[in-house]
Amino acid sequence: MEEGVRPDEVQWLLDELCTRKGFCLPTEKRQQLLEQSPFTSVDAFTDAVLIAEGMDPSLHKKLREGVRHMAQRHLTAVRHEPQEWPTDA
């Protein structure tokens, strides 16, 4: 069973998506996603990010898959290597 996206992971993933995929949401959209968390799955998180960008996930399948793959890959790597989440100091 796929694990969802926890609130502590949302901010980190949003930073990663901005850096790696150019999905740099405005502060109010980022806050809305944080308030929606936890997400039940990586798919739910991916769709929420695309919707926050003003896109229909069903119309942007290739882009959606790229965002989903990046999120899943990063979550898998981080969850298998215990570490502290980066914080803004």
Side-chain angles (χ1 to χ4, degrees):
M1 183 172 133
E2 178 184 341
E3 186 176 345
V5 181
R6 301 181 310 248
D8 61 328
E9 297 167 328
V10 170
Q11 184 69 44
W12 176 77
L13 279 174
L14 291 174
D15 290 343
E16 288 292 302
L17 285 169
C18 182
T19 301
R20 296 179 186 275
K21 293 286 186 186
F23 283 84
C24 302
L25 297 170
T27 302
E28 63 274 3
K29 295 287 186 179
R30 291 172 70 96
Q31 186 60 39
Q32 288 172 357
L33 290 174
L34 287 168
E35 290 170 3
Q36 290 176 27
S37 65
F39 291 93
T40 58
S41 66
V42 173
D43 285 318
F45 172 78
T46 301
D47 289 345
V49 168
L50 290 174
I51 290 166
E53 279 281 341
M55 299 178 184
D56 180 341
S58 67
L59 298 178
H60 299 277
K61 293 179 185 202
K62 191 170 187 172
L63 180 60
R64 182 191 182 281
E65 187 56 34
V67 171
R68 186 197 183 289
H69 177 73
M70 194 237 57
Q72 183 65 55
R73 186 175 35 133
H74 284 279
L75 285 173
T76 299
V78 167
R79 288 175 179 168
H80 286 92
E81 295 178 16
Q83 64 184 14
E84 290 186 32
W85 291 104
T87 59
D88 294 333

